[in-house]
């Protein structure tokens, strides 16, 4: 749809940026922090692990000052469960609580709204060893952890995100399950338990945090049929329901998406449930939806010939395909990043429209950004025009989605600062702020504003008017 004039970004729009604890904090074993599954994750040869990351733990005040310089209205970050409760379900670590209290107070002192993810891929190792999300006791541990977070931070944190990218953890489970990749049947059992954990935290938030808003943060994308062949459309519907709607239908309506449920039944993946599970899931209602968006997916019809599923060394945006369900397709209309991710700014508009149309809840973009091998020049500058172009196009599509009627309350690009990418370490950088280290050499960990930092500052202070 074309409009004569576009709506502006709403007043109080939450222009922000995102990070996650294990990808920036470092200090993986300091001040009482326990080990998480990410602390023992074996990264490929030549790629850094997560132990030192961007050393945010020791640069916290300097980093928040940079957020204020950028003009950020909101900061989406995650709390490391193992910093607060080192073994996941035992004693509380006072130093962990202090770190996050200091961070939240620092943000509030600059009028930056904290948006807190409770769990971003970093399950406590001790819980993992006891069966992780396959064990129903992890639901209780998460509920108790949520209670501790609300007790300690709920007076100042009014935006909560339960679980980051539950759908990625189910579809791309490698990094979250050290030792052994669970079967799909096991993964969907984990998934059911995560749904319950998220629901219980949602109910608790509404009970404990006055004015607190809470929602999930899945990785959502529109799925396109490769051709207008109806068989491709069926495949696109299949994958969109299994990859996306199953997670949001459960969060919002407390029910399994019917198409996804038929898939689970056909494949023998339906989870074991206990009496009362569905009542809990139905009762918990999110106040808003976090949306992590990077790229659309394009699929073609399944041929069910043993070739639908392509073994790939893929990451979370790379489709694998599944026998009888869908086959990964190509989209000749889109460019790819240097890391092979599709770039589809219009797809952001499509995705936001579809989500809002289904759920009619406020949406907050909790991740979107461009990973690139940025270079620090000898004169101390970092020129990243490609990131500016990428974000400018996506911001414009967000504005179009707002004009379409989507209730978009904020936009937090990934990421505020360079961090350890989940698969490519520091080779693939996302930040507005460059962190001076590389894979092996920690250098001085200096913070350097990239060109995109200055540009994004202008976007924020004009509330998007410079995009016109
Ligand atoms: C999202 C995750 O899937 O994608 C982030 O929530 C991740 O943790 C981001 O960093 C970008 O992916 P990658 O693999 O480039 O780090």
């Amino acid at each position: 749809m074309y409009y004569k004039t576009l709506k502006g970004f709403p007043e109080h729009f939450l222009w922000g940026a995102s990070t996650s604890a294990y990808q920036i904090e470092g200090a993986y074993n300091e001040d009482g922090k326990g080990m998480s599954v990410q602390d023992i994750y074996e990264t490929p040869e030549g790629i850094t692990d997560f132990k030192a990351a961007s050393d945010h733990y020791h640069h916290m005040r300097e980093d928040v000052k940079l957020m204020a310089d950028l003009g950020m209205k909101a900061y989406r970050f995650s709390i490391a469960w193992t910093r607060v409760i080192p073994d996941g379900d035992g004693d509380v670590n006072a130093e962990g609580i202090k770190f996050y209290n200091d961070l939240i107070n620092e943000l509030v002192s600059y009028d930056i709204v904290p948006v807190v993810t409770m769990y971003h891929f970093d399950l406590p190792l001790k819980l993992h060893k006891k069966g992780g999300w396959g064990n129903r006791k992890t639901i209780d541990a998460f509920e108790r952890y949520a209670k501790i977070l609300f007790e300690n931070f709920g007076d100042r944190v009014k935006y909560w995100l339960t679980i980051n990218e539950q759908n990625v953890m189910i579809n791309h489970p490698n990094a979250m399950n050290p030792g052994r990749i669970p079967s799909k049947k096991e993964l969907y059992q984990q998934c059911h338990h995560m749904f319950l954990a998220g629901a219980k935290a949602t109910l608790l938030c509404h009970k404990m945090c006055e004015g607190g808003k809470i929602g999930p943060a899945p990785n959502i994308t529109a799925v396109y049929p490769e051709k207008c062949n109806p068989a491709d459309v069926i495949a696109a519907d299949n994958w969109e329901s299994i990859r996306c709607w199953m997670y949001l239908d459960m969060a919002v309506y407390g029910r399994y998406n019917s198409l996804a449920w038929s898939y689970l039944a056909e494949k023998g993946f339906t989870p074991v449930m206990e009496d009362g599970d569905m009542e809990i899931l139905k009762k918990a209602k999110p106040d808003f939806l976090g949306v992590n968006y990077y790229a659309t997916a394009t699929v073609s019809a399944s041929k069910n010939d043993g070739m639908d599923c392509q073994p790939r060394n893929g990451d979370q945006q790379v489709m694998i395909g599944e026998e009888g369900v869908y086959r990964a397709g190509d989209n000749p209309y889109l460019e790819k990043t240097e890391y092979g991710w599709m770039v589809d700014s219009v797809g952001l508009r499509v995705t936001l429209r579809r989500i809002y149309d289904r759920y009619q809840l406020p949406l907050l973009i909790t991740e979107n950004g461009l990973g690139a091998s940025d270079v620090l020049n000898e004169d101390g500058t970092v020129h990243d025009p490609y990131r500016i172009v990428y974000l400018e196009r996506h911001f414009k599509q967000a504005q179009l989605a707002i004009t379409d009627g989507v209730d978009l309350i904020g936009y937090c690009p990934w990421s505020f600062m360079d961090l350890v990418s989940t698969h490519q370490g520091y080779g693939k950088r996302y930040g507005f702020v460059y962190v001076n280290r590389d894979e092996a050499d920690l250098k001085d960990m200096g913070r350097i504003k990239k060109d995109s930092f200055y540009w994004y500052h202008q976007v924020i202070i004009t509330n998007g008017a410079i995009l016109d």
Side-chain angles (χ1 to χ4, degrees), residues 23 120 164-165 294 316 341 367 414 421-422 428 430:
Q23 293 175 276
H120 191 123
N164 180 69
E165 295 193 346
Y294 287 91
Q316 60 272 44
W341 288 18
E367 283 185 37
W414 187 262
S421 123
T422 61
K428 188 185 192 187
Y430 283 89

Side-chain angles (χ1 to χ4, degrees), residues 220-222 291 293 296 347-356:
I220 300 296
T221 179
V291 179
Y293 171 85
T296 45
L348 173 65
R349 181 181 179 190
V350 179
T351 303
L352 293 174
R353 284 159 56 132
R354 288 187 186 177
I355 300 172
Y356 191 68

